[in-house]
Amino acid sequence: MSAKLLAPPPALGAALLCALGCSSSRQGAPSDLEPVKPTFTLLALAEIRGQIGPCGCTTDPLGDLSRTAALVAQARQSGPVLVVDAGGLLYTQTKIGEAFATQEELKADLLVATYRDALGVAAIGLGANDLAKGPAKVRPPRQVVNLAAPADPAAQIATEAPKLVTLGKAKVGIFGVIAKDGVPGLAITDPIQASKAAVAGLRRQGAQVVVALIQAPSEAAASSLAGAVGGIDFAVAGLGLAAPEPDRIETVADQLPGGGFMVTPGNRGQVVSRVEVTLRKGPGLADAGGRAAAEVRIAQIEKRIPSVEGELVRLTADPTADPSFVAAKRAELAELGAERQRLAAAPVQPPAKGSYFTLEQVRIAKKLACDLTVQTQTAAYFKSSGESNVAFAKSQPRAPVPAGTPTYVGTSKCVECHDTAVEFWKKSRHAGAWATLEKRGQEFDLECTSCHVTGWNKPGGATLAENEGLRDVQC
């Protein structure tokens, strides 16, 4: 059930902004690869999966809706910007449990509003995580040229026709397509035929550049589809669960069979693909920044390969090692070798004639500035969803503790017999687990709370409704 976002108290908004280290500045990190004045900038996202804040519990977690908004705003200060998303936007999971229902809907509402107002996203593809609450909840209308008409009109997904966008002196055509098995269980028509028709139509309208938003089960499938279609200048890959983590992001655009290039953003908003496009007279479209990015990535690969080789030797010599781990390490080693070979052939400099582009895979890290309006709206979301989550938890019966079985008592009781252990624990990060959530206003967020309390949803353990004595990671 959807609900309106509530405005947070001024103190809550200010506290959250300070805790996240957000600046009122909209300036992001400069790029060494940017041309002085590109014709336009393409900012591409994919597989956000309901993520609005930093993803994970590392010391420098990536991904933040407010920082992405600031990145877009900074880019627009320099010239025309086109923001697109290949799909997989709305929900964290493809199936949503009852306890998560309201939180997920409120978050989807926030994402849709931010995409519309702060990011000004021009087009969004369709991914599996958009369909978690059924076709009627897919919003806004999506770019899909090969969606089959359902037998039941009520199951129709809102779509829009391929569109032509004017960016300064450039005309850019955009369409979306789903490859075979790109969205499991969804009925589609021939993706190649539908895409060829879309490309031809956009070119007739005067498109100088064509951008395809592709949902596919793998990078190979996305590249194969785009190459078979032809006429695509930039393909943005949304890959569902196959979307890469930041350390496996391709820093050089993948050249498509028959021409054009493909970029793959990081999942959950952790890495945004920024493509600076300069249109000039003359044939072709070249990757002008590939060499610099390739050298950085090659250095990373060469540092990683000895580590993987060592892990493989250790696993191979261990008779108890899981064969799947051994196979995974062998596959990783092969992938690293293949990527290094491909990067060695990356372009060196802009061509003398013709159009060119540079790609930067921007890590949405804490050093980037925040958009304070979006940050305040995010604080409001956490407050509203937290209140709803607690109310739901209180309505649920607690599992009884079986007679004669151990249960959770908390450090206030443990210290009576284990004072030395408790004093050691107080100096650890585990003792501040709950405080880290309070600083961000996320202590009642279902995606976070379970890892910051003790005995989550176990008999006698912490729940969202009752956790006062079991906050932090205890025994």
Side-chain angles (χ1 to χ4, degrees):
M1 180 174 66
S2 179
K4 292 184 178 179
L5 291 173
L6 303 176
L12 171 64
L16 183 59
L17 299 183
C18 292
L20 292 179
C22 295
S23 164
S24 60
S25 168
R26 290 176 176 261
Q27 296 300 311
S31 166
D32 294 334
L33 303 179
E34 290 177 350
V36 176
K37 196 68 176 176
T39 307
F40 68 91
T41 298
L42 170 67
L43 292 173
L45 303 98
E47 305 301 339
I48 296 297
R49 300 181 200 160
Q51 194 74 30
I52 60 175
C55 180
C57 298
T58 60
T59 55
D60 187 19
L62 301 178
D64 186 315
L65 191 59
S66 68
R67 289 183 167 89
T68 300
L71 181 74
V72 172
Q74 180 224 3
R76 287 199 168 111
Q77 292 175 3
S78 301
V81 172
L82 175 67
V83 186
V84 298
D85 187 304
L89 170 67
L90 295 177
Y91 302 111
T92 307
Q93 304 292 334
T94 55
K95 294 182 180 180
I96 298 171
E98 184 182 6
F100 285 79
T102 299
Q103 173 173 305
E104 287 287 304
E105 203 60 33
L106 285 170
K107 193 162 46 173
D109 287 343
L110 174 61
L111 280 163
V112 170
T114 304
Y115 264 45
R116 180 191 64 227
D117 301 332
L119 273 65
V121 178
I124 309 173
L126 180 68
N129 285 59
D130 294 312
L131 294 165
K133 289 200 171 185
K137 284 292 185 178
V138 176
R139 61 211 188 273
R142 302 308 177 92
Q143 279 288 340
V144 191
V145 294
N146 66 323
L147 193 61
D152 181 3
Q156 183 66 50
I157 296 170
T159 61
E160 60 182 9
K163 62 172 60 175
L164 189 70
V165 178
T166 300
L167 300 166
K169 296 181 179 180
K171 291 185 177 181
V172 180
I174 313 167
F175 76 96
V177 63
I178 299 174
K180 181 182 178 182
D181 300 323
V183 180
L186 188 66
I188 59 173
T189 62
D190 183 351
I192 296 176
Q193 182 179 353
S195 297
K196 283 181 176 289
V199 171
L202 291 167
R203 294 295 186 188
R204 284 195 297 269
Q205 295 177 57
Q208 297 161 278
V209 175
V210 171
V211 176
L213 310 177
I214 300 180
Q215 270 288 327
S218 68
E219 285 189 334
S223 178
S224 176
L225 171 58
V229 171
I232 294 171
D233 296 296
F234 296 106
V236 180
L239 305 175
L241 294 178
E245 294 295 333
D247 61 347
R248 304 192 75 173
I249 289 289
E250 294 276 3
T251 55
V252 177
D254 183 14
Q255 189 152 14
L256 298 169
F261 296 85
M262 185 174 78
V263 298
T264 306
N267 67 47
R268 293 168 289 177
Q270 296 179 92
V271 178
V272 175
S273 300
R274 175 160 61 189
V275 184
E276 307 280 15
V277 183
T278 301
L279 299 182
R280 303 186 301 182
K281 292 182 178 179
L285 174 67
D287 180 355
R291 181 73 262 140
E295 288 173 353
V296 172
R297 179 59 181 157
I298 287 172
Q300 293 172 342
I301 290 171
E302 291 179 343
K303 185 177 180 180
R304 174 65 178 155
I305 283 177
S307 175
V308 177
E309 288 175 335
E311 292 171 9
L312 184 57
V313 169
R314 179 180 59 79
L315 288 170
T316 303
D318 183 358
T320 66
D322 188 329
S324 65
F325 289 169
V326 177
K329 286 301 172 186
R330 284 180 175 149
E332 182 180 358
L333 192 60
E335 289 173 6
L336 289 170
E339 185 182 354
R340 179 173 59 180
Q341 185 176 2
R342 185 182 66 78
L343 291 173
V348 178
Q349 61 184 10
K353 295 181 180 179
S355 301
Y356 64 90
F357 71 94
T358 60
L359 167 66
E360 180 185 9
Q361 298 286 26
V362 183
R363 296 168 71 88
I364 306 301
K366 289 188 291 186
K367 67 181 180 180
L368 298 183
C370 294
D371 182 299
L372 298 187
T373 298
V374 174
Q375 194 63 61
T376 300
Q377 292 167 344
T378 303
Y381 154 75
F382 283 126
K383 181 177 185 300
S384 182
S385 66
E387 291 172 348
S388 174
N389 291 340
V390 171
F392 179 83
K394 288 181 176 179
S395 72
Q396 301 302 298
R398 292 206 64 177
V401 179
T405 60
T407 187
Y408 300 90
V409 295
T411 53
S412 61
K413 198 72 175 174
C414 296
V415 72
E416 295 177 7
C417 300
H418 305 280
D419 55 334
T420 302
V422 169
E423 286 304 312
F424 176 84
W425 170 81
K426 286 180 179 179
K427 298 174 183 178
S428 71
R429 286 190 176 186
H430 285 165
W434 184 263
T436 62
L437 293 185
E438 289 184 313
K439 289 177 182 178
R440 289 154 48 180
Q442 292 178 245
E443 64 268 35
F444 300 118
D445 187 305
L446 286 168
E447 291 178 61
C448 301
T449 310
S450 61
C451 293
H452 294 252
V453 294
T454 304
W456 177 250
N457 279 346
K458 294 180 179 179
T463 70
L464 212 59
E466 299 179 38
N467 55 44
E468 286 78 5
L470 296 173
R471 292 172 180 175
D472 301 320
V473 181
Q474 305 178 33
C475 296

